[in-house]
Amino acid sequence: MSSGLQPMIPYGRQDISEADIQAVVDVLRSDWLTQGPAVPRFEQAVAAYAGAKDAVAVNSATAALHIACLALGVGPGDTVWTSPNTFVASANCALYCGASVDFVDIDAQTFNMSIGCLEQKLKSAAGSGKLPKVVIPVHFAGQPCDMPAVHRLRHKYGFQVIEDASHAIGASGWNSCVGSGLYSDITVFSFHPVKIITTGEGGMALANDANLAERMRQFRTHGITNRRELMQSRPVDEIWNYQQIELGYNYRMTDFQAALGLSQLRRLDQFVNRRHEIAKMYDHELRSLPVISQMQLPQIRSSYHLYPIRIRESLCGRSQRQVFDFLKAADIAVNLHYIPVYRQPYYQALGFSGGYCPEAELYHRECISLPMYSGLSDVQVQYVLTALKKALAV
Ligand SMILES: *Cc1c(COP(=O)(O)O)cnc(C)c1O
């Protein structure tokens, strides 16, 4: 089956308006290309949107996760825990700091880190004196992880929390926006084109603690400060306008990226609302099909970065591979999210073996992400659903 008429439908894509283009062009005509006035404006706008005190814009969410770990003091000898059902960056950030990483299995219904597994693992880690320094829940597909539960465990066991909200700008849960930091130390957003809003490449780390934000700013720019009170043994007769006081990086965002981000942010709610309309159409049809959707907790509002379904052969008589190939042949570029991180060859070489997180592995053998992006038309959604029904032969 081939659509003939329409080009390949991707699983996600950016939504760029003329206003977005104009915002970038305006910066290109200005005096600033790298970090200039648009960067702090974008930081303040995202912080205000999410309800956080401060935000640090960087050139990717990967960089944001790295400086978040550094600011929380992650280093050699420490362990960081995250979900296996995520992009590799959620785990790599710990390794960048010389720490080790471990994984907490997922919940079979929400596909987020399982609170039960987290509690169990914390109990036994406390027994052996190997508690994590930081736990990184991932708001998979845009659905916030159960943060009040994570928060309770954090108080009991004394770890710090970074929310990997790369999927979840515009989402909310338990009466607060993702990013407000009510239940965590730092929240990270991604502005990769496939995410909810984009700056090309880009990311941001939000925090309510001014010291944490300051430390992240320093790591963003080579470990350099221009605050006199932080400078050390400055010779009185020399002009020192900055000092490098620790080892940092060049993770800065350019001003034209920030201008694009600011312009995109104006349409964030509109994007998320459209994603909800699409999710409703999928939900409605999928109820009568032998596939499994992501359970949405009643206390949350997802940003629907992804719309994952599970194809269980014992339910529908079709394998994940059969449905995947059928949809591909129908010009629907479905995707899988995710291969459990520890099953990547690099992580296998670190000593993780198959079967480590059984639920995440089972999920990976069943999952397919249907197309989900604000520019997807109702007609395209119906086309996807028709193709899916044919794939399942119902
Ligand atoms: C996309 C993504 C990242 C990395 O984002 P970049 O901005 O591409 O570095 C990290 N974590 C998750 C869960 C992601 O989906």
Side-chain angles (χ1 to χ4, degrees):
M1 184 176 103
S2 177
S3 66
L5 292 172
Q6 60 187 355
M8 183 77 96
I9 301 176
Y11 82 90
R13 70 159 290 152
Q14 69 275 18
D15 185 331
I16 301 293
S17 68
E18 282 309 313
D20 293 339
I21 293 167
Q22 194 54 51
V24 173
V25 169
D26 289 346
V27 172
L28 292 177
R29 294 192 201 286
S30 80
D31 294 335
W32 301 91
L33 288 188
T34 190
Q35 200 170 295
V39 168
R41 248 188 274 138
F42 183 38
E43 290 173 336
Q44 282 152 25
V46 173
Y49 178 92
K53 288 218 176 81
D54 212 341
V56 181
V58 284
N59 55 17
S60 69
T62 304
L65 287 164
H66 185 193
I67 61 172
C69 284
L70 289 171
L72 293 177
V74 173
D78 295 327
T79 306
V80 171
W81 292 1
T82 189
S83 168
N85 185 31
T86 186
F87 184 57
V88 293
S90 315
N92 288 346
C93 57
L95 303 184
Y96 295 158
C97 302
S100 54
V101 72
D102 204 351
F103 300 91
V104 182
D105 207 353
I106 62 167
D107 179 88
Q109 291 183 294
T110 64
F111 320 150
N112 271 327
M113 182 186 280
S114 153
I115 300 301
C117 292
L118 176 62
E119 185 159 21
Q120 210 50 52
K121 201 174 168 75
L122 285 165
K123 246 183 221 158
S124 56
S128 57
K130 287 185 174 153
L131 283 168
K133 177 127 182 170
V134 172
V135 174
I136 309 183
V138 179
H139 303 322
F140 176 72
Q143 165 156 223
C145 188
D146 185 346
M147 292 308 295
V150 172
H151 191 60
R152 279 193 294 278
L153 292 169
R154 166 209 206 186
H155 274 290
K156 184 162 176 199
Y157 291 98
F159 53 85
Q160 302 170 97
V161 179
I162 300 171
E163 295 174 67
D164 184 344
S166 293
H167 297 184
I169 192 169
S172 57
W174 298 275
N175 301 315
S176 64
C177 278
V178 168
S180 67
L182 223 53
Y183 306 109
S184 65
D185 299 283
I186 296 171
T187 303
V188 166
F189 292 138
S190 172
F191 307 126
H192 180 279
V194 90
K195 308 292 165 67
I196 313 282
I197 62 169
T198 189
T199 60
E201 297 282 359
M204 203 175 280
L206 281 67
N208 289 320
D209 180 314
N211 278 329
L212 273 182
E214 179 66 28
R215 291 206 24 91
M216 291 196 286
R217 288 213 157 80
Q218 221 162 272
F219 284 119
R220 171 176 68 184
T221 308
H222 309 279
I224 282 173
T225 186
N226 51 17
R227 286 173 49 184
R228 288 176 158 260
E229 67 275 20
L230 295 177
M231 292 186 191
Q232 294 162 15
S233 57
R234 180 166 45 88
V236 282
D237 57 339
E238 285 181 43
I239 298 169
W240 285 71
N241 47 6
Y242 70 84
Q243 277 187 350
Q244 184 192 345
I245 55 176
E246 59 194 335
L247 186 62
Y249 302 84
N250 179 354
Y251 282 165
R252 287 187 302 267
M253 176 180 275
T254 64
D255 228 41
F256 48 93
Q257 286 176 299
L260 176 56
L262 261 171
S263 180
Q264 286 259 300
L265 186 64
R266 289 193 195 105
R267 288 189 295 151
L268 172 55
D269 288 339
Q270 191 183 313
F271 288 161
V272 173
N273 288 340
R274 175 60 190 158
R275 286 170 182 270
H276 271 259
E277 286 175 9
I278 294 165
K280 255 203 197 111
M281 288 187 257
Y282 281 147
D283 289 345
H284 182 75
E285 290 292 321
L286 293 183
R287 262 199 290 276
S288 55
L289 296 181
V291 299
I292 302 162
S293 297
Q294 184 185 27
M295 194 250 279
Q296 303 288 319
L297 296 177
Q299 304 91 335
I300 65 97
R301 184 170 192 267
S302 178
S303 57
Y304 281 113
H305 163 55
L306 299 172
Y307 194 96
I309 58 170
R310 296 177 77 150
I311 305 295
R312 186 165 294 166
E313 201 164 352
S314 62
L315 278 182
C316 68
R318 295 284 182 281
S319 69
Q320 175 197 46
R321 172 38 77 71
Q322 284 174 317
V323 174
F324 187 87
D325 288 346
F326 189 95
L327 294 175
K328 277 259 156 120
D331 290 333
I332 301 165
V334 285
N335 213 314
L336 302 191
H337 299 94
Y338 290 93
I339 299 166
V341 174
Y342 66 83
R343 296 212 48 223
Q344 297 289 350
Y346 183 83
Y347 280 86
Q348 298 278 292
L350 293 181
F352 291 99
S353 45
Y356 192 62
C357 296
E359 198 56 56
E361 292 189 21
L362 180 60
Y363 172 76
H364 170 240
R365 287 195 298 274
E366 297 180 341
C367 69
I368 289 181
S369 295
L370 297 181
M372 172 55 91
Y373 50 94
S374 50
L376 197 65
S377 69
D378 290 6
V379 170
Q380 286 175 312
V381 172
Q382 292 312 323
Y383 174 77
V384 170
L385 283 165
T386 303
L388 181 63
K389 283 181 204 161
K390 283 189 186 156
L392 297 167
V394 290

